[in-house]
Amino acid sequence: MYFADRILYIANLTIYKNCCMANVPVTPQKKSKLTLWIVVAMILGIAVGYFVHEYYAVATAKTFSTNINLLTTIFLRLVQMIVAPIVFTTLAVGIAKLGDMKTVGRVGGKAMLWFITASLVSLALGLILVNIFKPGVGADIKHTDVAAVNDLLEKSKGFSLQKFVEHVVPRSVIEAMANNEILQLVVFSIFFGIALTAVGKKGEPIINALDSLAHVILKMVGYVMYLAPVGVFGAMAAAIAKNGITILFTFGKYLGEFYLGLLILWLLLLGVGYLFLKQRLIPLVKRIAAPMGIAFSTASSEAVYPKLVEELERFGCSNKIVSFILPLGYSFNLDGSMMYMTFASMFIAQAFNITGITGDVSQQIIMLLVFLITSKGIAGVPRASLVVVLATGAMFGLPAEGVGLILAIDVFCDMGRTMTNVLGNALATSVVSKWEGELKHSA
């Protein structure tokens, strides 16, 4: 009880300040407590998961993994509950506040310039590193998870231009909200926001109402974040109890080289961010530390969206820029996932010795460009990166069985790439705010 009460106490102090409900001073030490508890929860989860995996039967460990993961499920479903309304309210109001189509086009153009450039750099970096490291050479292709591959094959069926268009353009906004289709919500919210601007004064009451609703939902975010450490604990305990910590050593080369690639990508992103943000970069990283910790441990982008909105606004980013750029980034700016797609695809090609790809640079470049297109708008798809690798890889002769080689450790790769996606979107939003002269001092 003390542990839970302590989490509630700390989170309440943070949210009280965040929502500006009172002028209560919050020290940096208090603001960092949520991050601390997330780290503590991760360590406890790893320890508990390791104990269960090592000292209990396999069947018992799997049952424990399923049950303890309910903690994470509860947390994620609570977050998913508020993702749709916060995307709609903040984006519609943000576009309405931008004022006109010219401003929307200018801000959107700057965002897409960043997104496309960052995606190309991430894809190219993964391609270069996997050719240098060659992690797939000599891989034991006998260890393939056939059942899991078949499940992914079902998800990737019909992965075509038609399906892509259907995934982008909403048939019903209610359906899009029910399924948390962020890109579809973005499309509807953009039309709605532009229409609000076009009707002039008649739209002002709706803008004010949606603005108030957004603040209420952000208050709800604070309540949901009370459970973040509990959800993190469940996610880590479930992953380790099911797979065992030894799997990290079994696939140590692959994981190590992938995370080294992420580190290099981080340095590139932070380096470019420093060119624009200068000394403001360090405060930004501190602000997004908690969302990044949640992203890493739960491997869920949705889990951090509401909190990331809040922290970026506290950092000083304009509300209208955050509301417009961040939802777009969730569909078009997945830097960690981009790098993983070329890395994983080339790993499979190397493992199965497909010389038509491993020995042909032009084929690799074509594959990179195809990934740039097919990866957009799949942020809400479970194991989206692997689904895209499986569907797109088939175009280049990559066997579906190859995905089975990396399925066992995909959750650990997903942690890193999700956290990198959060960093990339935070930087993109902050830099565009700076470009627009909308970056203020921290709240």
Side-chain angles (χ1 to χ4, degrees):
M1 287 297 295
Y2 173 78
F3 180 72
D5 291 342
R6 186 64 180 161
I7 293 173
L8 292 174
Y9 171 72
I10 293 166
N12 190 50
L13 284 176
T14 305
I15 302 308
Y16 200 55
K17 172 74 162 73
N18 291 351
C19 296
C20 302
M21 299 302 291
N23 294 321
V24 178
V26 180
T27 64
Q29 182 182 9
K30 289 177 180 177
K31 286 188 288 190
S32 67
K33 291 288 186 167
L34 179 59
T35 305
L36 174 62
W37 282 118
I38 288 171
V39 173
V40 170
M42 287 175 60
I43 295 172
L44 287 176
I46 292 171
V48 171
Y50 175 76
F51 178 81
V52 171
H53 185 270
E54 292 297 317
Y55 295 100
Y56 287 86
V58 174
T60 303
K62 287 184 177 180
T63 301
F64 171 83
S65 176
T66 301
N67 291 335
I68 199 68
N69 198 49
L70 290 175
L71 296 176
T72 309
T73 301
I74 292 171
F75 171 66
L76 292 180
R77 289 179 74 90
L78 286 172
V79 173
Q80 290 167 347
M81 172 184 72
I82 55 181
V83 166
I86 199 172
V87 168
F88 170 64
T89 56
T90 57
L91 182 53
V93 171
I95 291 175
K97 288 181 178 179
L98 285 175
D100 54 53
M101 282 298 296
K102 183 178 179 181
T103 305
V104 172
R106 185 183 69 247
V107 175
K110 291 177 179 179
M112 293 308 297
L113 176 63
W114 177 285
F115 295 164
I116 294 173
T117 303
S119 294
L120 284 171
V121 170
S122 301
L123 286 164
L125 180 61
L127 193 61
I128 292 170
L129 292 177
V130 78
N131 276 295
I132 294 174
F133 296 142
K134 300 187 184 301
V137 175
D140 188 354
I141 62 176
K142 295 178 181 178
H143 297 293
T144 301
D145 191 339
V146 178
V149 171
N150 289 335
D151 181 58
L152 280 177
L153 280 171
E154 286 297 317
K155 292 178 181 177
S156 64
K157 276 184 178 179
F159 195 87
S160 61
L161 179 61
Q162 178 182 346
K163 291 292 182 182
F164 176 76
V165 171
E166 291 174 356
H167 187 72
V168 172
V169 182
R171 176 172 51 186
S172 162
V173 66
I174 304 301
E175 181 184 44
M177 286 187 172
N179 296 327
N180 270 346
E181 291 280 1
I182 292 182
L183 190 54
Q184 292 186 1
L185 284 173
V186 167
V187 172
F188 176 81
S189 301
I190 288 175
F191 276 98
F192 193 88
I194 293 173
L196 276 179
T197 303
V199 297
K201 289 186 177 180
K202 291 183 179 180
E204 289 180 2
I206 299 177
I207 295 174
N208 293 332
L210 289 177
D211 196 24
S212 298
L213 180 59
H215 281 82
V216 172
I217 296 170
L218 285 174
K219 185 68 174 177
M220 292 174 63
V221 171
Y223 301 144
V224 172
M225 285 301 116
Y226 294 172
L227 290 175
V230 179
V232 166
F233 170 79
M236 295 305 297
I240 299 299
K242 181 179 180 180
N243 300 294
I245 204 166
T246 55
I247 196 171
L248 299 179
F249 301 104
T250 304
F251 291 90
K253 180 183 178 183
Y254 180 81
L255 278 173
E257 290 169 354
F258 173 65
Y259 271 87
L260 177 59
L262 287 181
L263 176 61
I264 295 173
L265 181 57
W266 273 46
L267 294 175
L268 289 173
L269 290 172
L270 291 172
V272 175
Y274 180 79
L275 293 177
F276 296 98
L277 302 176
K278 305 298 182 185
Q279 288 78 13
R280 297 291 302 277
L281 180 65
I282 294 177
L284 172 64
V285 173
K286 290 181 178 178
R287 286 287 185 188
I288 64 174
M292 288 175 68
I294 297 171
F296 178 80
S297 50
T298 62
S300 170
S301 296
E302 286 183 336
V304 297
Y305 179 85
K307 185 66 176 174
L308 190 56
V309 169
E310 190 177 40
E311 291 297 343
L312 286 173
E313 291 184 6
R314 291 178 63 198
F315 169 67
C317 293
S318 168
N319 171 266
K320 59 187 179 183
I321 300 296
V322 173
S323 302
F324 183 46
I325 301 300
L326 200 56
L328 290 177
Y330 261 57
S331 295
F332 295 102
N333 191 44
L334 306 173
D335 300 327
S337 299
M338 292 288 100
M339 199 194 85
Y340 184 75
M341 288 175 193
T342 46
F343 197 94
S345 298
M346 286 301 298
F347 171 83
I348 295 170
Q350 291 168 0
F352 285 83
N353 194 27
I354 302 176
T355 56
I357 297 177
T358 58
D360 191 340
V361 176
S362 63
Q363 278 290 94
Q364 295 178 24
I365 293 175
I366 292 172
M367 185 168 64
L368 180 153
L369 296 174
V370 172
F371 275 129
L372 181 66
I373 298 172
T374 57
S375 62
K376 304 308 178 187
I378 44 81
V381 179
R383 287 190 167 180
S385 296
L386 283 183
V387 171
V388 174
V389 168
L390 191 59
T392 305
M395 298 169 57
F396 297 89
L398 294 179
E401 294 81 4
V403 174
L405 291 174
I406 51 180
L407 269 174
I409 54 165
D410 182 63
V411 62
F412 300 105
C413 294
D414 202 8
M415 291 174 179
R417 63 185 184 241
T418 303
M419 182 169 61
T420 305
N421 293 342
V422 171
L423 174 65
N425 282 316
L427 286 171
T429 305
S430 301
V431 169
V432 173
S433 292
K434 182 71 179 292
W435 282 346
E436 288 292 303
E438 297 281 355
L439 186 61
K440 306 170 186 175
H441 293 293
S442 300

